[in-house]
Amino acid sequence: ETGVTQTPRHLVMGMTNKKSLKCEQHLGHNAMYWYKQSAKKPLELMFVYSLEERVENNSVPSRFSPECPNSSHLFLHLHTLQPEDSALYLCASSQAIYNSPLHFGNGTRLTVT
Amino acid sequence: AQTVTQSQPEMSVQEAETVTLSCTYDTSESNYYLFWYKQPPSRQMILVIRQEAYKQQNATENRFSVNFQKAAKSFSLKISDSQLGDTAMYFCAFFVGETSGSRLTFGEGTQLTVNP
């Protein structure tokens, strides 16, 4: 039990599909994050939520749409993706958004065909 | 802007030996935090060790220790008595800020392989 659970583990979708990634944390944390991990590149922070409010949106294309209905759940809605969006998407949580260590999930391996 | 550089894309070590992974960073801030995360094949990122910049004493967690050189902006990770389970991608990360602009910046990672 990692404390941060991501589903699905793998996802293959066409460019016209709509899908959602789900993240759930059981740690009582107040902050949640989406990161994109591509080969040979540093992790890229996509979105940050603190107490269910979005506090960062790092110039992510609108085809990625986050949703945080409560402090335990985070979604990433996907639509009309491009092949270059294929990557490992990692969810993380922390007690606070300032200096608290991140706890990561196992990620969703996304392939866009 | 903060940057983190890991100059060793891949490293290998024999089981039971010691290995050091290097990390340098660039910042104009004086108070910040440094982390090493490990990502095994299971893909989960796991915090290995953490260092506060205001602390002069190097952090230690069992077989893992850091050599923090603040003036040189260097933060290397030493793994003693390497075990097969240490095989993973290791990421150095840097955190600064007490405002909503705070963020954790990762390096590109070092793939460590422990050989039997």
Side-chain angles (χ1 to χ4, degrees), chain A residues 2 9-10 35 37 40 42-43 45 55-56 58 88 90 97-102 104-109, chain B residues 10 33 35 37 39 41-47 50 91 95 97-104 106-108:
Chain A
T2 66
R9 191 162 174 81
H10 302 273
Y35 279 89
Q37 185 178 21
K40 310 290 185 185
L43 271 72
L45 179 63
V55 295
E56 279 203 46
N58 295 325
L88 180 68
L90 291 166
I97 64 172
Y98 317 130
N99 82 21
S100 300
L102 299 183
F104 285 84
N106 287 341
T108 294
R109 174 69 65 189
Chain B
E10 297 179 356
Y33 302 82
F35 305 86
Y37 280 88
Q39 186 179 37
S42 67
R43 304 186 325 209
Q44 187 196 3
M45 297 274 280
I46 303 166
L47 179 65
R50 164 184 170 163
F91 292 94
F95 180 92
E98 298 288 344
T99 69
S100 61
S102 308
R103 64 176 56 207
L104 188 64
F106 286 85
E108 293 185 2

Side-chain angles (χ1 to χ4, degrees), chain B residues 47-95:
Chain B
L47 179 65
V48 174
I49 200 164
R50 164 184 170 163
Q51 174 82 42
E52 288 88 348
Y54 63 87
K55 291 186 176 179
Q56 293 185 336
Q57 186 173 7
N58 289 326
T60 300
E61 287 288 342
N62 301 315
R63 298 182 294 107
F64 299 88
S65 61
V66 299
N67 183 5
F68 175 45
Q69 301 289 329
K70 190 171 183 179
K73 296 180 182 175
S74 171
F75 182 61
S76 61
L77 175 69
K78 185 172 81 172
I79 306 174
S80 304
D81 186 24
S82 297
Q83 300 176 0
L84 297 178
D86 295 333
T87 292
M89 181 74 84
Y90 286 81
F91 292 94
C92 178
F94 170 95
F95 180 92

Side-chain angles (χ1 to χ4, degrees), chain A residues 71-84:
Chain A
S71 60
S72 299
H73 293 85
L74 185 65
F75 295 89
L76 188 62
H77 303 299
L78 316 171
H79 65 96
T80 60
L81 294 191
Q82 304 298 311
E84 59 265 29

Side-chain angles (χ1 to χ4, degrees), chain A:
Chain A
E1 176 59 51
T2 66
V4 181
T5 305
Q6 287 187 246
T7 55
R9 191 162 174 81
H10 302 273
L11 177 63
V12 179
M13 59 186 289
M15 290 191 286
T16 59
N17 291 159
K18 289 184 180 180
K19 297 287 184 182
S20 296
L21 309 185
K22 179 181 176 182
C23 176
E24 183 175 2
Q25 59 99 357
H26 313 276
L27 301 168
H29 288 168
N30 293 319
M32 296 188 76
Y33 312 73
W34 280 116
Y35 279 89
K36 176 183 178 182
Q37 185 178 21
S38 304
K40 310 290 185 185
K41 294 176 66 175
L43 271 72
E44 301 171 55
L45 179 63
M46 300 176 72
F47 300 104
V48 182
Y49 277 83
S50 177
L51 298 173
E52 304 152 46
E53 290 195 16
R54 191 190 307 180
V55 295
E56 279 203 46
N57 175 0
N58 295 325
S59 301
V60 178
S62 59
R63 56 185 184 269
F64 296 91
S65 175
E67 178 189 2
C68 187
N70 55 62
S71 60
S72 299
H73 293 85
L74 185 65
F75 295 89
L76 188 62
H77 303 299
L78 316 171
H79 65 96
T80 60
L81 294 191
Q82 304 298 311
E84 59 265 29
D85 297 323
S86 298
L88 180 68
Y89 288 84
L90 291 166
C91 174
S93 70
S94 64
Q95 182 59 46
I97 64 172
Y98 317 130
N99 82 21
S100 300
L102 299 183
H103 295 254
F104 285 84
N106 287 341
T108 294
R109 174 69 65 189
L110 173 67
T111 303
V112 181
T113 60

